[in-house]
Amino acid sequence: MSYAGQAASASSRSRSRDGDSVYVQDSMFVSEAVKKIQQCTAEIRKEAHLLAPSTSAAARQKVEATFHTGNQAVQDAKRRLEKLSYNGGDTFGEQRNRSLMQQKLSENLTKGIRDLQVSLQVFEQAEKRLSEVPTTTSQRPSEDLEMGSLAGQRLQATADLVSEAELDVHTAIVEEYAQDISTLAQDVRGLQQAMTDLNFHTKVQGDLLDSIEGDFLSSTQNTANASEQLTQASHSQRRGSKFIYWLLLLAAVLAVILIFVVVYRSSQ
C-alpha cells in the first residue's frame, strides 16, 4: 500500500473514532437532559401536593422557574437528538444499534415532555380549585385554638383537589392513549394487508422466475444439442473431404499409369 493510501486509511479511522466519541457524548447529554426533566416534573408535583393558600404565590413562582428549566432541557435535548442521525456507524450492525438507541432516547424524551406538561396542568388545576375553596377568618379569640385543626383540614382538602386534578389529567391521557392505540391497530392492520399483498406478489414473481429459469435451462439444452450436431456435421464433412481427396489421388495415379502404358506401347 502506498503512503497516500495509508494516510487516507488512517484519516478514515480517525474520523470514525471522532464520530463515535461525538455520538457517545450526544447520547449521554440526551440521557442527562431526560433525567433533569424528570426531576423538574417531580418538583412541580411536590409543589402541587404541598399547595396551600398562604404559599400559593411562592409556589407559583417556583413552579414557573422549574418549568422553564425543564423546558430549556427539552430544547437542548431535541437539538442533540437531531445531531445523532448525522453520526452513522461504519457497519450495518452499528447503524442498526444507533437507530434503536436514537428511537429509545426519543421515546424517553417524549414521555418526559408529556409528564412535565401534565405536572404543570395538575398544579394549575389544583391552584384553580384551591382558589374556589372559601376561606374562613377568625371572629373570636376562642377560635384561634382551632387553627391547627383548620390548617389540617385545608391540607387534606388541598390533597383531595390535587388528586382530583391528577385524575382528570390522567383520564385525558388515557383517552389519548386509547386513541393512539386505535390508530396503531389500524396501521398494523394496514401493514398486515400490505404484507399479504407483498407475499402474493412475491409468490407470483417466484413462479415467473421459475418459468424463466425453466426456459433458460431449455434454451441451454437446445444450444448444447445444436453445438453437438454442428460438431458431428463438421466431423462428417471432414471425413467426406478426405474420401474425395483419396479418390482424386487414386485417379491421378491411374492416369499416370495409363499414360506410361500408352507411351511404352507407342515406342515399341
Side-chain angles (χ1 to χ4, degrees), residues 5 17 31 47 63 69 95-96 108 118 121 125 128 163 179 182 189 198 201 223 239 253 256 261:
R17 288 194 297 268
S31 299
E47 291 297 328
V63 166
T69 302
Q95 294 176 359
R96 179 64 175 172
N108 293 339
V118 167
Q121 293 175 3
Q125 291 186 13
K128 179 180 178 181
S163 299
Q179 183 66 29
S182 177
R189 286 194 293 269
L198 180 61
H201 290 299
T223 303
R239 287 195 297 270
V253 171
V256 170
V261 170

Side-chain angles (χ1 to χ4, degrees), residues 123-139:
F123 179 83
E124 290 177 347
Q125 291 186 13
E127 188 179 36
K128 179 180 178 181
R129 295 190 181 185
L130 183 63
S131 63
E132 296 175 355
V133 176
T135 58
T136 58
T137 59
S138 159
Q139 300 295 330

